[in-house]
């Protein structure tokens, strides 16, 4: 039986969006695909608040993260990690032979702008990575403050992992000056997994052209070239079903629900989840001011048996999320993202209360 998904991705998908996956195929070198991809791109620019080029990848988000560290690092990459997904940036660099340093904080803490300033001022780096919303710890990093200090280092390429927040939280890419901003379809966008999206600046692409061994499938230069010269086409066959669904979902987000209403719904759900945790005698892993609006990581200060709770939730039709990696059992997570209705979150929390 399909359970309601309270894990931080994949998320429950609206039936209308699922149905879009059954649309008959069109050719990937046709005028029809160009029209479709052009519209998707324009709507994603609105969602990302950017004029930068939008590229789609028929992979999960990690593919574009891998491509980014590889294509944009000439000297050395710097990764600011506040959890599992921050660590992934460093693993990707290492796996691709890209020189990298990692600055890690204790899980639950954010990346501070002062640290970004301190490390970038060494002049050792030409790329730095920040996780906007760390899905393991429920920390949302202060990208506005980071963007302020980054102004001192305009030539250092800034990559942001916005996989679990774009579409649920307002991230103004151009205002913040983010060079490379990556998201996946299966989190706040409310689609099935299998496609990823990135916005990329022209200056980053120009720099990538000078870097050898960019790989093939995730070569940003080649993806960019196809999008620009064969309008909105891709070097390889893309997941056309995802495009049909993404097109429909973007129109829903932008025109039916509205961006601001969508962000407000996420904020309200986050408040509900935090209040539930505190009212039930738990604590929150992330500190005040750095708490995610899309996933709440609850500190298991009551020492409940989280595995048993996951099992009980499952028997009631809900897929609950334990803590991530080393935080398993010590925390659990409540996802509140994508098209989740606040009343369904409340039902879920009431169910959890009854099992505590
Ligand atoms: C889910 C997630 C990823 C991984 O994305 P995939 O689409 O599974 O490759 C990366 N970063 C964050 C913050 C995530 O939540």
């Amino acid at each position: 039986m399909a359970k309601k998904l309270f894990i931080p991705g994949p998320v429950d998908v609206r039936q209308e969006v699922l149905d879009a996956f059954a649309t008959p195929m069109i050719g990937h070198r046709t005028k029809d695909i160009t029209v479709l991809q052009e519209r998707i791109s324009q709507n994603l620019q609105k969602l990302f608040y950017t004029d930068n080029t939008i590229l789609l990848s028929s992979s999960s988000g990690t593919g574009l993260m891998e491509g980014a560290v590889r294509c944009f690092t000439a000297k050395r990459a710097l990764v600011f990690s506040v959890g599992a997904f921050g660590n992934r940036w460093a693993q990707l660099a290492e796996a691709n032979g890209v020189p990298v340093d990692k600055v890690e904080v204790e899980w639950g803490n954010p990346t501070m702008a002062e640290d970004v300033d301190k490390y970038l001022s060494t002049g050792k780096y030409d790329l730095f990575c920040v996780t906007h919303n760390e899905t393991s710890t429920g920390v949302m990093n202060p990208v506005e403050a980071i963007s302020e200090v980054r102004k001192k280092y305009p030539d250092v390429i800034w990559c942001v992992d916005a996989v679990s927040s774009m579409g649920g939280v307002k991230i103004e890419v151009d205002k913040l000056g983010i060079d490379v901003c990556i998201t996946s379809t299966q989190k706040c966008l409310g689609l099935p997994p299998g496609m990823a999206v990135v916005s990329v600046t022209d200056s980053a692409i120009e720099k990538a052209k000078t870097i050898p061994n960019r790989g093939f499938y995730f070569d940003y230069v080649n993806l960019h070239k196809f999008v620009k010269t064969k309008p909105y086409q891709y070097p390889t066959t893309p997941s056309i079903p995802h495009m049909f669904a993404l097109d429909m979902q973007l129109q829903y987000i932008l025109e039916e629900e509205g961006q601001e209403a969508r962000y407000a719904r996420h904020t309200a759900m986050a408040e509900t989840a935090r209040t539930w945790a505190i009212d039930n005698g738990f604590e929150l892993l992330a500190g005040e001011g750095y708490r995610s609006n899309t996933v709440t990581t609850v500190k298991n200060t009551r020492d409940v048996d989280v595995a048993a709770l996951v099992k009980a939730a499952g028997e009631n039709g809900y897929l609950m999320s334990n803590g991530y990696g080393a935080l398993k059992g010590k925390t659990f997570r409540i996802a509140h993202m994508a098209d989740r209705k606040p009343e369904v979150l409340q039902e879920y929390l009431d169910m959890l209360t009854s099992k505590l």
Side-chain angles (χ1 to χ4, degrees):
M1 188 198 73
K3 292 177 183 139
K4 287 202 175 77
L5 301 181
F6 278 85
I7 54 173
V11 296
D12 286 329
V13 178
R14 296 186 301 121
Q15 189 59 46
E16 191 190 12
V17 175
L18 288 175
D19 292 345
F21 275 79
T23 309
M25 281 311 102
I26 57 174
H28 68 301
R29 300 283 177 235
T30 58
K31 205 159 184 289
D32 288 345
I33 201 96
T34 296
V35 170
L36 175 66
Q37 289 178 179
E38 209 158 30
R39 186 167 60 229
I40 289 171
S41 171
Q42 284 164 359
N43 283 335
L44 283 168
Q45 283 177 322
K46 288 183 195 157
L47 192 78
F48 282 52
Y49 302 88
T50 187
D51 292 328
N52 293 339
T53 304
I54 298 286
L55 303 173
L56 302 177
S57 172
S58 297
S59 67
S60 77
T62 304
L64 286 175
M65 290 166 68
E66 176 160 16
V69 284
R70 184 163 176 169
C71 292
F72 302 118
T73 314
K75 283 193 301 193
R76 195 170 192 87
L78 178 62
V79 170
F80 289 95
S81 174
V82 302
F85 291 104
N87 287 345
R88 184 171 292 186
W89 278 117
Q91 288 168 339
L92 291 168
E94 277 160 16
N96 283 278
V98 173
V100 62
D101 288 333
K102 182 170 78 173
V103 179
E104 203 174 354
V105 297
E106 194 188 331
W107 285 27
N109 291 338
T111 297
M112 299 306 286
E114 302 87 271
D115 282 334
V116 174
D117 194 8
K118 188 175 100 189
Y119 283 91
L120 292 187
S121 71
T122 61
K124 276 164 62 181
Y125 307 102
D126 56 353
L127 173 134
F128 77 108
C129 302
V130 169
T131 310
H132 177 257
N133 187 75
E134 178 51 70
T135 317
S136 56
T137 61
V139 165
M140 207 152 72
N141 275 317
V143 284
E144 289 80 11
I146 292 169
S147 127
E148 281 308 309
V149 303
R150 186 275 166 111
K151 286 179 183 155
K152 290 159 69 177
Y153 315 98
D155 295 336
V156 182
I157 305 258
W158 184 15
C159 295
V160 171
D161 168 355
V163 171
S164 62
S165 47
M166 183 60 82
V169 177
K170 189 181 215 169
I171 306 170
E172 295 179 277
V173 168
D174 284 359
K175 208 166 133 189
L176 294 165
I178 300 168
D179 289 293
V180 180
C181 188
I182 298 168
T183 199
S184 304
T185 48
Q186 79 278 15
K187 309 255 168 114
C188 297
L189 291 178
L191 293 152
M195 189 164 261
V197 181
V198 62
S199 72
V200 60
T201 53
D202 289 342
S203 54
I205 294 293
E206 285 311 310
K207 176 169 181 202
K209 286 178 183 167
T210 69
I211 293 170
N213 296 320
R214 296 186 303 266
F216 187 87
Y217 197 68
F218 299 111
D219 177 8
Y220 278 66
V221 175
N222 200 30
L223 289 167
H224 184 264
K225 185 176 96 186
F226 264 76
V227 161
K228 292 295 181 189
T229 60
K230 309 182 194 280
Y232 297 98
Q233 289 191 13
Y234 285 90
T236 58
T237 322
S239 175
I240 298 168
H242 273 92
M243 291 182 178
F244 288 133
L246 180 57
D247 182 42
M248 170 180 276
Q249 180 68 346
L250 285 167
Q251 290 178 49
Y252 171 80
I253 293 172
L254 297 171
E255 285 149 38
E256 268 185 64
E257 183 171 28
Q259 278 164 283
E260 293 298 336
R262 193 172 179 86
Y263 306 142
R265 177 169 54 79
H266 280 80
T267 305
M269 290 195 297
E271 277 161 12
T272 301
R274 292 171 201 154
T275 305
W276 174 86
I278 302 294
D279 286 354
N280 283 281
F282 296 105
E283 289 171 14
L284 303 170
L285 185 64
E288 176 91 52
Y290 302 104
R291 290 175 185 149
S292 167
N293 274 353
T294 64
V295 57
T296 295
T297 299
V298 180
K299 240 165 131 172
N300 185 13
T301 38
R302 271 180 64 170
D303 211 15
V304 300
D305 182 344
V306 178
L309 200 55
V310 170
K311 189 159 176 280
E315 285 159 5
N316 282 270
Y318 299 93
L319 189 60
M320 176 183 172
S321 192
N322 204 321
Y324 194 104
L327 293 179
K328 216 181 196 129
K330 294 185 189 132
T331 64
F332 58 90
R333 294 172 297 163
I334 304 166
H336 29 80
M337 59 173 74
D339 296 318
R340 175 63 67 219
K341 287 190 162 59
E343 53 274 26
V344 178
L345 172 64
Q346 192 58 58
E347 277 167 30
Y348 174 66
L349 295 174
D350 291 345
M351 179 279 303
L352 280 186
T353 310
S354 75
K355 307 291 169 200
L356 286 175

